[in-house]
Amino acid sequence: MEIDSTSSLFQGFENQNDFLMSHTDFVAEVPAGFKNIGKTMHCPNAAMENSDKKLYGIQFHPEVNLSVNGTKVIYNFLFNICKCSGDWQISSFVEDSIKTLKEKIGDGKALCALSGGVDSSVAAVLLHKAIGKNLTCIFVDHGLLRKNEGDEVEEIFRNQFDINLLRVDAKDRFLEKLSGVTDPEKKRKIIGEEFIRVFEEEAKKIGTVDFLVQGTIYPDVIESGLGKSSVIKSHHNVGGLPDYVDFKEIVEPLRNLFKDEVRKTGLELGIPENLVFRQPFPGPGLAIRIIGDITDDKLNILKDADSIFREEIANAGLDKSINQYFAVLTNLKSVGVMGDERTYDYTIALRAVETTDFMTGVWSKIPYEVLEKVSSRIVNEVKHVNRVVYDITSKPPATIEWE
Ligand code: XMP
């Protein structure tokens, strides 16, 4: 894009920069009082300003990885134009939040749905620090978590933090509802609904609570409907529960935080690093990593393969640089040989992406030796898998998950 580097918005830029933009719509003419400060061959007004009124408009995505120096545009806007000071600290956020929550909740009772993910974990510990045993966490184990994950969640929250935790083993219920279902969106819907049912039943046993805690973070707020962007995959992180649980008020202590700030809050609260830096894991869990219908056997195959992949990524020291990596159980069976025997077994796909925003990303160039080790371990150690493939597609055009 050709940009006007004399504009405060592009301070420190050359006159050309690569920003990610879509070419489907464009502003044909800038409004009165505005000056064009950026254009491409296809988009005559990709950026504009009214410097007297300090108004700026852009039609590209400075926030995504693919925009070169995009964050510098945001920096210029915040610090040079809006004169923000940037002196906000996580430690004061934690202190202030605990104080505010204490005042707000007092002796009231609060209920929290704990998934073991970063957001709900940080929200739960924050609440626990504020109100102690007046917080009850319900952990619905839908059986679609990664290998050993349910036990790990229980260990951290029950033993390490001494939080009132109710773990509900609901695997059979979920698998029954999912039986024969192949459509990804249907799977998501069933899991979302069943999750609410289970939570509702458990919450009823507790009775009326004063507050329902949700680990909503700022990107969830945006995704759930500030804009009109089309739903690519339905997420069920926000909403749902409130309609079904008997409570007086909702508490969302992380509502204004971005993910990196949530992680910093987690560390400040003493949550173990491996949980705080846990890679994102979708709410519907392994259900959307098993292509086609889900069975207990397929779940076990995927859990084992995924666990080997994660172990070898950690052994190779790549677990901090790859932002999301997992195995997918494709619905494809192919012919192989094992000893003298012909086999006809499943293909496991490995997926690994590098991204910060998860809206765009590139496939990770994992060294061949690591891939080789993962592949040979999976076919040797996991029954009913005779082939491993590596997904070399970036996002876009592919999404991170396969379903
Ligand atoms: P996609 O596949 O859309 O994924 O490129 C982007 C990020 O979102 C996660 N994801 C989900 N998370 N419920 C969730 O809570 C879902 O249904 C869901 N689908 C995708 C995905 O793991 C990746 O981090």
Side-chain angles (χ1 to χ4, degrees):
M1 183 191 302
E2 216 175 289
I3 51 177
D4 178 354
S5 57
T6 62
S7 164
S8 312
L9 197 62
F10 297 126
Q11 195 181 320
F13 279 80
E14 303 281 329
N15 285 336
Q16 293 279 345
N17 200 73
D18 280 339
F19 296 118
L20 181 84
M21 61 189 308
S22 67
H23 294 300
T24 45
D25 313 303
F26 64 84
V27 175
E29 213 179 293
V30 299
F34 279 82
K35 175 182 147 206
N36 173 298
I37 53 166
K39 63 177 178 208
T40 70
M41 247 164 57
H42 305 283
C43 184
N45 295 295
M48 63 181 185
E49 72 172 14
N50 179 332
S51 53
D52 294 339
K53 291 190 174 164
K54 290 198 185 293
L55 293 175
Y56 294 80
I58 52 174
Q59 213 209 338
F60 55 86
H61 292 279
E63 76 284 9
V64 302
N65 292 340
L66 292 177
S67 283
V68 177
N69 285 327
T71 47
K72 201 157 147 191
V73 174
I74 299 173
Y75 180 94
N76 284 347
F77 181 72
L78 292 176
F79 294 98
N80 298 340
I81 297 168
C82 302
K83 309 285 181 211
C84 292
S85 60
D87 56 2
W88 188 77
Q89 299 260 337
I90 281 291
S91 54
S92 52
F93 167 78
V94 170
E95 231 173 80
D96 289 350
S97 298
I98 293 177
K99 190 164 162 271
T100 319
L101 289 166
K102 259 187 188 155
E103 284 167 8
K104 186 182 172 115
I105 301 179
D107 288 333
K109 297 225 176 305
L111 190 62
C112 176
L114 192 66
S115 69
V118 184
D119 307 341
S120 65
S121 300
V122 173
V125 175
L126 198 57
L127 258 291
H128 177 68
K129 298 257 180 206
I131 64 166
K133 289 286 178 190
N134 278 341
L135 169 75
T136 303
C137 292
I138 298 181
F139 167 41
V140 176
D141 184 353
H142 52 26
L144 304 161
L145 296 171
R146 288 166 289 202
K147 196 172 179 177
N148 301 332
E149 205 163 35
D151 296 341
E152 284 164 18
V153 170
E154 185 165 355
E155 150 64 28
I156 292 172
F157 291 94
R158 202 190 299 284
N159 302 343
Q160 197 173 321
F161 283 104
D162 196 24
I163 287 181
N164 252 338
L165 176 76
L166 223 101
R167 177 177 175 180
V168 192
D169 179 3
K171 179 178 163 189
D172 293 345
R173 280 180 70 156
F174 278 85
L175 286 192
E176 200 175 303
K177 283 264 152 63
L178 286 166
S179 167
V181 178
T182 55
D183 177 66
E185 284 302 291
K186 229 182 209 164
K187 287 181 184 176
R188 283 187 169 83
K189 201 157 174 274
I190 290 171
I191 294 166
E193 280 173 10
E194 196 58 14
F195 181 86
I196 289 170
R197 289 287 91 74
V198 177
F199 191 88
E200 185 184 28
E201 282 168 28
E202 294 304 319
K204 272 207 181 106
K205 291 181 198 161
I206 296 171
T208 305
V209 290
D210 304 285
F211 297 90
L212 178 70
V213 185
Q214 298 222 297
T216 318
I217 71 169
Y218 193 59
D220 301 329
V221 177
I222 301 171
E223 250 183 59
S224 300
L226 290 186
K228 283 191 184 146
S229 30
S230 59
V231 176
I232 297 173
K233 290 177 187 180
S234 62
H235 289 215
H236 68 270
N237 298 348
V238 185
L241 285 180
D243 296 340
Y244 298 89
V245 180
D246 204 2
F247 69 100
K248 294 181 191 138
E249 205 179 317
I250 219 159
V251 190
E252 293 175 316
L254 312 176
R255 197 180 164 83
N256 294 325
L257 302 191
F258 280 101
K259 198 74 174 193
D260 59 322
E261 296 165 332
V262 176
R263 292 195 211 278
K264 284 185 193 147
T265 305
L267 291 178
E268 186 76 23
L269 289 166
I271 300 177
E273 268 199 31
N274 62 345
L275 201 164
V276 167
F277 291 101
R278 177 171 286 180
Q279 52 167 316
F281 186 66
L286 301 183
I288 55 164
R289 293 178 181 172
I290 293 175
I291 310 303
D293 69 322
I294 302 156
T295 63
D296 206 8
D297 288 344
K298 286 184 182 173
L299 259 176
N300 289 331
I301 294 173
L302 181 57
K303 278 183 190 177
D304 287 342
D306 183 71
S307 153
I308 292 171
F309 187 30
R310 286 188 292 131
E311 202 178 302
E312 290 304 330
I313 289 293
N315 286 345
L318 296 169
D319 50 336
K320 289 259 156 62
S321 55
I322 306 177
N323 306 99
Q324 200 170 2
Y325 50 98
F326 52 87
V328 174
L329 181 60
T330 72
N331 213 7
L332 177 78
K333 281 190 170 183
S334 69
V335 176
V337 280
M338 193 68 128
D340 293 334
E341 298 276 313
R342 174 189 184 278
T343 57
Y344 188 63
D345 276 326
Y346 285 113
T347 303
I348 282 282
L350 305 175
R351 180 71 164 143
V353 287
E354 284 165 35
T355 171
T356 49
D357 55 17
F358 296 88
M359 292 189 274
T360 59
V362 293
W363 64 277
S364 178
K365 316 300 179 280
I366 297 177
Y368 283 162
E369 311 81 72
V370 179
L371 288 172
E372 186 177 26
K373 180 133 193 235
V374 175
S375 162
S376 97
R377 277 196 61 194
I378 290 178
V379 289
N380 282 308
E381 295 173 34
V382 186
K383 260 195 172 165
H384 304 299
V385 176
N386 65 357
R387 197 178 292 270
V388 176
V389 297
Y390 187 45
D391 182 348
I392 52 166
T393 335
S394 289
K395 175 183 178 178
T399 50
I400 295 173
E401 302 290 346
W402 273 38
E403 283 200 335

